């Protein structure tokens, strides 16, 4: 049974929703670097202040901030037996760091699920979500920038894991239920 899982997908691909369903089905604890950063912002910490402007511009938060945060998380008791990571890694450098952190713990990833969607369809979905959630990073120019960052920096991570031989590609077009059915079949 796969225990150490990463979920990848463009912003708005529905990966947060699918991540929750996977965790429930496999009884795995999950962490989302985006959610952790939003908590830091809400708590008004130094880390939160550094992150806020970058997030609002649709830019990535630097590895010097993210990598130690993820290393601390993975070394905590809660994730000792397995996890599902949502929003990390977002670059090949982060993927290499994740491999190193896990190797130091004597383990490695078992599975990477990529929710593959049509990027233009995603803009529409995200604008719709912006109306509901009022996230400061969900305005159209910021959404477009996030998608550009995704294409340039995060998409190569898919190839990285394909080469590692642990990639599961899921067609992410369609309804939440349709996508979930495709994932569930493969778990
Ligand atoms: P998310 O909730 O995963 O869409 O993340 C929201 C924002 O947090 C992203 O647009 C980035 O600015 C930042 N962020 C989340 N995860 C990472 C990461 N692994 N590396 C760099 N920045 C991140």
């Amino acid at each position: 049974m796969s225990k150490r899982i990463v979920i990848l997908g463009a912003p708005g691909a529905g990966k947060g929703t699918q991540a929750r369903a996977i965790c429930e089905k496999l009884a795995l604890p999950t962490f989302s670097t985006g959610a952790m950063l939003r908590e830091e912002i809400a708590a008004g910490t130094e880390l939160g202040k550094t992150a806020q402007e970058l997030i609002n511009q649709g830019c990535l938060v630097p590895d010097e901030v993210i990598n130690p945060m993820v290393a601390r998380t993975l070394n905590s008791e809660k994730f000792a037996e397995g996890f599902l990571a949502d929003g990390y890694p977002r670059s090949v450098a982060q993927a290499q760091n994740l491999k190193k952190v896990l190797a130091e713990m004597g383990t490695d990833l078992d599975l990477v699920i990529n929710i593959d969607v049509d990027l233009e369809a995603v803009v529409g979905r995200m604008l719709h979500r912006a109306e509901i959630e009022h996230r400061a990073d969900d305005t159209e120019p910021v959404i477009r920038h996030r998608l550009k960052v995704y294409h340039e920096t995060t998409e190569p991570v898919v190839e990285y894991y394909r080469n590692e031989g642990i990639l599961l590609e899921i067609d992410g077009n369609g309804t939440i239920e349709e996508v979930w059915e495709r994932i569930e079949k493969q778990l």
Side-chain angles (χ1 to χ4, degrees), residues 17 32 52 70 79 82 123 125 163:
T17 308
S32 147
Q52 182 153 39
V70 170
F79 300 103
V123 178
R125 259 203 232 182
N163 291 332

Side-chain angles (χ1 to χ4, degrees), residues 15 33-34 37-38 55 59-61 66 87-88 90 94 135 137 146:
K15 82 186 145 60
T33 45
L37 292 170
R38 285 188 287 279
I55 293 179
C59 298
L60 292 184
V61 175
I66 293 286
Y88 187 93
R90 258 182 157 90
Q94 288 185 5
R135 266 172 56 161
D137 58 348
R146 289 175 72 200

Side-chain angles (χ1 to χ4, degrees), residues 15-174:
K15 82 186 145 60
T17 308
Q18 301 299 343
R20 280 190 289 279
I22 295 165
C23 287
E24 201 169 304
K25 167 121 181 146
L26 302 181
L28 279 177
T30 185
F31 68 89
S32 147
T33 45
M36 285 159 77
L37 292 170
R38 285 188 287 279
E39 277 166 27
E40 296 280 348
I41 292 169
T45 65
E46 278 308 309
L47 198 161
K49 282 175 200 154
T50 311
Q52 182 153 39
E53 200 158 325
L54 292 165
I55 293 179
N56 289 351
Q57 291 167 352
C59 298
L60 292 184
V61 175
D63 287 358
E64 302 84 76
V65 174
I66 293 286
N67 286 343
M69 191 173 89
V70 170
R72 268 197 309 280
T73 303
L74 290 176
N75 277 287
S76 69
E77 193 57 38
K78 182 176 174 191
F79 300 103
E81 295 303 316
F83 59 82
L84 184 134
D86 170 8
Y88 187 93
R90 258 182 157 90
S91 64
V92 170
Q94 288 185 5
Q96 287 163 342
N97 178 71
L98 178 58
K99 192 165 183 70
K100 183 171 133 264
V101 171
L102 291 174
E104 282 163 6
M105 297 165 67
T107 184
D108 201 356
L109 287 178
D110 298 297
L111 181 69
V112 175
I113 301 171
N114 183 42
I115 315 277
D116 191 23
V117 288
D118 174 53
L119 286 187
E120 266 314 304
V122 145
V123 178
R125 259 203 232 182
M126 289 184 78
L127 287 172
H128 177 70
R129 184 173 83 180
E131 279 173 31
I132 300 166
E133 290 183 9
H134 301 293
R135 266 172 56 161
D137 58 348
D138 268 357
T139 62
E140 185 157 0
V142 176
I143 288 170
R144 295 221 176 259
H145 186 62
R146 289 175 72 200
L147 288 169
K148 182 167 177 277
V149 170
Y150 169 79
H151 180 62
E152 289 171 0
T153 311
T154 309
E155 228 166 38
V157 177
V158 176
E159 199 50 42
Y160 173 89
Y161 287 125
R162 186 175 291 123
N163 291 332
E164 292 261 304
I166 54 171
L167 184 71
L168 172 63
E169 290 265 32
I170 296 289
D171 174 6
N173 299 299

